[in-house]
């Protein structure tokens, strides 16, 4: 038995040594990687002394696209963009805010549907964040501000210089009384 125990202890010691060596190697890789990158001249974006400035190379700074914003409401809502237009470079991330208010004495559910002019722009207008992705619930008299974060694809045809993004906010009716109370947080369902 003592021979087997000695063998187990020796194996355990070798495994501990191996773990310590692997940890040390991983820890030492950071300065080795940094030294290698400095020597070869790569990956110096975070080094202010290198004079390299990080920028998004997918932004086409040779073009400016005017994006006009429009808002329509179907139902008891007021709905408007915070600004009527902006100019963006293709590939540049931009944000517009839309303001919506429920004019009713009860809560309502609503859904925004976008449309684009010219229609070809729809394929090149990429929304990263948008209130139009889901139904919205507005309490009685509540006003909200919703951002739309977007990028216009740099492959937008050269003849398109203006895009109109128009949203129509449709009132889907009163919020069911139990839906406002539960708000989907009853813990039941399929998880």
């Amino acid at each position: 038995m003592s021979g087997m125990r000695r063998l187990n202890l020796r194996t355990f010691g070798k495994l501990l040594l191996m773990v310590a060596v692997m940890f040390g190697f991983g820890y030492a890789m950071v300065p080795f990687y940094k030294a290698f990158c400095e020597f070869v001249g790569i990956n110096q974006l975070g080094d202010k002394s290198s004079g390299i400035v990080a920028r998004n190379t997918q932004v086409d700074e040779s073009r400016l696209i005017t994006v006009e914003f429009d808002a329509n409401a179907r139902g008891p809502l007021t709905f408007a963009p915070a600004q009527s237009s902006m100019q963006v470079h293709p590939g540049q991330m931009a944000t517009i805010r839309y303001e919506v208010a429920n004019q009713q004495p009860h809560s309502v559910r609503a859904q925004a549907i976008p449309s684009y002019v010219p229609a070809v722009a729809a394929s090149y207008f990429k929304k990263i964040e948008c209130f139009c992705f889901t139904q919205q619930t507005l309490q009685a008299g509540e006003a909200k501000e919703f951002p739309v974060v977007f990028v216009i694809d740099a492959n937008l045809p050269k003849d398109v210089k203006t895009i109109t993004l128009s949203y129509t906010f449709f009132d889907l009716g009163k919020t069911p009384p139990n839906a406002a109370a539960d708000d989907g947080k009853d813990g039941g369902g399929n998880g």
Side-chain angles (χ1 to χ4, degrees):
M1 261 287 206
S2 67
M4 183 61 105
R5 183 175 171 94
R6 210 174 309 138
L7 182 61
N8 284 343
L9 283 175
R10 189 179 309 162
T11 304
F12 180 69
K14 288 179 182 179
L15 288 173
L16 280 179
L17 178 63
M18 197 157 116
V19 166
V21 168
M22 289 188 328
F23 177 77
F25 181 74
Y27 190 76
M29 282 306 296
V30 173
F32 285 138
Y33 178 74
K34 185 175 179 183
F36 176 77
C37 288
E38 286 176 11
F39 177 73
V40 177
I42 60 172
N43 199 19
Q44 296 180 4
L45 292 177
D47 183 10
K48 293 180 179 153
S49 66
S50 71
I52 298 172
V53 178
R55 67 181 190 86
N56 185 347
T57 58
Q58 296 177 358
V59 174
D60 181 358
E61 294 179 354
S62 69
R63 296 173 64 193
L64 267 177
I65 307 297
T66 300
V67 182
E68 298 173 339
F69 304 102
D70 180 48
N72 304 290
R74 300 289 183 254
L77 303 169
T78 59
F79 181 48
Q83 63 191 79
S84 60
S85 68
M86 71 170 56
Q87 289 192 320
V88 297
H89 295 288
Q92 173 187 358
M93 191 175 303
T95 302
I96 177 68
R97 297 191 182 287
Y98 278 82
E99 300 160 347
V100 63
N102 177 9
Q103 304 295 318
Q104 296 298 306
H106 54 78
S107 61
V108 296
R109 291 177 301 126
Q111 176 79 46
I113 306 297
S115 61
Y116 308 89
V117 174
V120 68
S123 300
Y124 300 94
F125 201 99
K126 309 295 182 197
K127 291 186 291 295
I128 297 163
E129 178 183 341
C130 183
F131 58 94
C132 63
F133 295 155
T134 59
Q135 289 183 7
Q136 304 297 326
T137 300
L138 295 159
Q139 299 305 318
E142 181 180 23
K144 288 185 177 180
E145 190 174 270
F146 295 114
V148 177
V149 180
F150 66 92
V151 173
I152 296 174
D153 191 317
N155 295 320
L156 178 74
K158 301 285 185 196
D159 62 329
V160 177
K161 299 191 183 335
T162 302
I163 297 173
T164 301
L165 171 63
S166 180
Y167 281 103
T168 302
F169 225 129
F170 291 95
D171 174 19
L172 302 176
K174 291 182 182 179
T175 303
N178 59 349
D182 292 343
D183 199 22
K185 299 176 185 163
D186 62 358
N190 296 334

